[in-house]
Amino acid sequence: MLRQINPKRIVVKIGTSSLVLKNRKLNLRAIARLAFVLTDLCNRGIQVVLVSSGAMGVGIGMLHLKDRPSEIPQQQAVSAIGQSQLIGIYTKEFSEYQQIVAQVLLTRDVMLFPESKRNVVNAFKAMMGQHIIPIVNENDSVSVDELDHQTSFSDNDELSAIVTEIIDADLLIVLSDIDGFYTGNPYKDPDAVLIPEVHAIDADILAYAGGSSTQFGTGGMTTKLNAARRILEHHRQMILANGRDPEIIFDILDGKEIGTLFTPQTMKASV
């Protein structure tokens, strides 16, 4: 049965594993396809915000580092270098379709103070009203929230849920390196089964979660469940799917049962 998906405003979060290859080089094909897909959505009249990870992974590749730095200042420097490269490539790829994008770097304090939060919301509305796609990441040069400190923005999964909330989006699509939410780690457990729908983040669901599955990313299944919990608490919906080919977004919006749909029971099958 097809899911009824007709969002007017969506947030797409793409993880490092979808943007950076195992050899530390950029996955240019994925970025190019993502630009194509999101521009097409804008052409259809859907407002789109992109939350993009990858700054750390890109920076590691550019500096030819063997491992992720352990010291916070070095992590900040690597992320700043990677963010500059990443937004440049996004700008170039989106320009192929005459689509304007804007970089939005957020820090935790912006969301804690009503006036600054209101200013951010107004900026988002102004950009989307002009058919501009905001590309959001945490400002790692001045914030250590998603590096090795456990604070409000523990990762971009949670950041994407917060953005979904503050811009009143209908749907959050989280693109990762896994096909959805499973009863176990499908890379290690051959008996793991994909769960097509989740209506509450309870103890049983939490027991299935594991850690980060990639070398360069900060998020894992637990962070995605934290994002999903926030989404459900605010009566919104989220789909977790594989970001290997960003054109999967077309299939999701066409209502195909792809990935895992996190939806409140009262909104079941009515994204």
Side-chain angles (χ1 to χ4, degrees):
M1 182 177 67
L2 291 177
R3 293 168 175 164
Q4 299 300 313
I5 300 184
N6 299 293
K8 296 180 180 179
R9 182 179 296 169
I10 68 172
V11 174
V12 175
K13 186 269 178 176
I14 189 161
T16 301
S17 60
S18 301
L19 298 172
V20 179
L21 301 168
K22 292 182 179 180
N23 63 2
R24 300 179 176 85
K25 301 293 184 180
L26 273 170
N27 188 340
L28 295 175
R29 179 178 181 180
I31 295 174
R33 301 317 292 166
L34 184 64
F36 165 72
V37 172
L38 298 190
T39 300
D40 186 76
L41 297 186
C42 284
N43 290 345
R44 299 187 199 182
I46 298 174
Q47 294 182 330
V48 179
V49 172
L50 174 63
V51 176
S52 175
S53 296
M56 175 70 71
V58 172
I60 288 172
M62 291 184 66
L63 295 174
H64 306 289
L65 301 179
K66 183 178 180 180
D67 299 305
R68 176 188 175 96
S70 58
E71 297 182 359
I72 292 293
Q74 290 301 315
Q75 291 181 18
Q76 291 176 290
V78 171
S79 291
I81 293 168
Q83 182 65 28
S84 176
Q85 174 78 354
L86 189 59
I87 196 65
I89 292 173
Y90 272 131
T91 301
K92 177 181 181 297
E93 292 298 337
F94 277 98
S95 69
E96 291 291 319
Y97 307 104
Q98 293 78 54
Q99 175 62 53
I100 299 174
V101 297
Q103 178 174 250
V104 179
L105 298 178
L106 297 177
T107 52
R108 175 172 57 92
D109 59 312
V110 169
M111 298 303 179
L112 296 178
F113 295 96
E115 183 175 357
S116 59
K117 181 179 179 180
R118 183 167 57 251
N119 291 337
V120 169
V121 172
N122 290 339
F124 274 121
K125 288 181 178 179
M127 286 183 277
M128 291 185 293
Q130 297 179 64
H131 309 291
I132 297 168
I133 296 179
I135 300 179
V136 183
N137 197 356
E138 185 161 8
N139 191 350
D140 290 333
S141 334
V142 297
S143 170
V144 296
D145 295 335
E146 76 160 347
L147 299 178
D148 286 344
H149 284 205
Q150 297 300 313
T151 52
S152 292
F153 284 175
S154 59
D155 57 89
N156 277 343
D157 293 323
E158 183 177 2
L159 176 58
S160 66
I162 292 172
V163 171
T164 301
E165 174 191 340
I166 67 172
I167 70 169
D168 196 25
D170 305 300
L171 176 67
L172 168 61
I173 299 175
V174 176
L175 300 179
S176 186
D177 60 349
I178 195 167
D179 292 339
F181 183 68
Y182 285 79
T183 57
N185 186 337
Y187 297 114
K188 298 179 180 180
D189 181 3
D191 296 322
V193 177
L194 177 70
I195 302 175
E197 287 192 12
V198 174
H199 305 297
I201 310 302
D202 54 24
D204 290 336
I205 293 295
L206 289 172
Y208 296 141
S212 178
S213 59
T214 63
Q215 179 181 0
F216 307 120
T218 59
M221 195 53 66
T222 300
T223 68
K224 290 168 179 56
L225 290 184
N226 288 338
R229 177 188 286 111
R230 188 177 188 113
I231 289 292
L232 294 176
E233 286 175 352
H234 290 86
H235 209 61
R236 290 174 172 82
Q237 299 181 99
M238 170 180 136
I239 290 178
L240 173 63
N242 199 310
R244 180 174 50 250
D245 182 357
E247 290 197 33
I248 197 173
I249 295 173
F250 288 143
D251 293 332
I252 290 172
L253 297 185
D254 285 342
K256 296 181 181 179
E257 292 192 1
I258 291 172
T260 299
L261 170 63
F262 295 86
T263 179
Q265 186 67 42
T266 54
M267 297 176 66
K268 185 177 178 181
S270 61
V271 176

